[in-house]
Amino acid sequence: MKKEISCGAVIARQTENGREILLIRHVNGGHWAFPKGHMEGNETESETALREIREETGIDVSQAAGGYAFSYKRVNPEEKNNYFVDIYKFILDFVDNDVKVQPEEVEGFKIATLEEIRAFAQEGIFLHYDSMKEVFD
C-alpha cells in the first residue's frame, strides 16, 4: 500500500524589513496556510510541491533557491486519515502582482511576516504551525 503524502511549500522573499511569506486561504477552510496538496498519479514529492504552488499561486519556483526541508506525520483522529506531509521552502524575489490564485481552490492570499503567522497560529487561523515552525529557521 502506498503511503498517502501531502506536500506543502513555504514561498518567501527577502525585503529590507526582513523575510515575508506568501500565505493562501483555501476556499473550503477559511484558515491561512501554505500552498499544499496531495500527490497525483506517478508524481514525485517535489513535482507535487511545484505543481501545487503553480496551481494555487501562479508562481513557478522551479528555479528558486531552496527545496525539501523536512517531513512530519499528520495525525487526524477525528477524520481517521493520518498521512505524511513533506514541507518545502523556496526563496525568490516576487511581487504581489505575480500571485495569481486559482479561484476554484483559493479565495485569497496575504504576504505575512513571521510575527503575523505566529499571531494567526495563536488565534487558531493558521493550520499546523507547531508541526512546521522549524521551516522558518
Side-chain angles (χ1 to χ4, degrees):
M1 184 170 113
K2 185 177 175 183
K3 68 178 180 178
E4 186 172 347
I5 298 174
S6 179
C7 297
V10 172
I11 305 167
R13 66 184 181 195
Q14 193 65 39
T15 70
E16 55 191 44
N17 297 324
R19 190 164 283 174
E20 297 178 330
I21 296 144
L22 174 60
L23 301 180
I24 60 169
R25 190 186 304 250
H26 285 102
V27 294
N28 62 352
H31 294 91
W32 291 109
F34 299 126
K36 66 183 180 335
H38 292 283
M39 291 175 65
E40 294 180 1
N42 293 325
E43 282 182 322
T44 65
E45 289 87 344
S46 61
E47 289 169 338
T48 300
L50 295 176
R51 175 182 52 78
E52 287 293 341
I53 293 166
R54 193 172 41 256
E55 285 178 1
E56 294 182 356
T57 70
I59 295 177
D60 179 3
V61 296
S62 61
Q63 303 301 311
Y68 174 78
F70 61 89
S71 298
Y72 70 91
K73 185 174 183 180
R74 175 81 175 114
V75 179
N76 266 336
E78 64 280 352
E79 296 176 22
K80 299 182 175 98
N81 67 340
N82 303 337
Y83 54 91
F84 291 91
V85 180
D86 288 351
I87 300 296
Y88 290 76
K89 179 179 181 180
F90 298 99
I91 301 171
L92 72 155
D93 289 329
F94 67 93
V95 296
D96 294 13
N97 288 339
D98 293 335
V99 182
K100 309 282 190 252
V101 298
Q102 181 183 45
E104 300 81 24
E105 291 189 34
V106 177
E107 72 177 42
F109 75 94
K110 175 175 182 49
I111 308 299
T113 64
L114 182 53
E115 292 77 25
E116 289 174 305
I117 292 172
R118 286 184 187 130
F120 291 158
Q122 288 179 343
E123 291 176 46
I125 59 172
F126 182 84
L127 296 179
H128 316 295
Y129 176 77
D130 288 336
S131 298
M132 61 177 50
K133 62 184 172 187
E134 69 187 78
V135 76
F136 299 110
D137 295 336

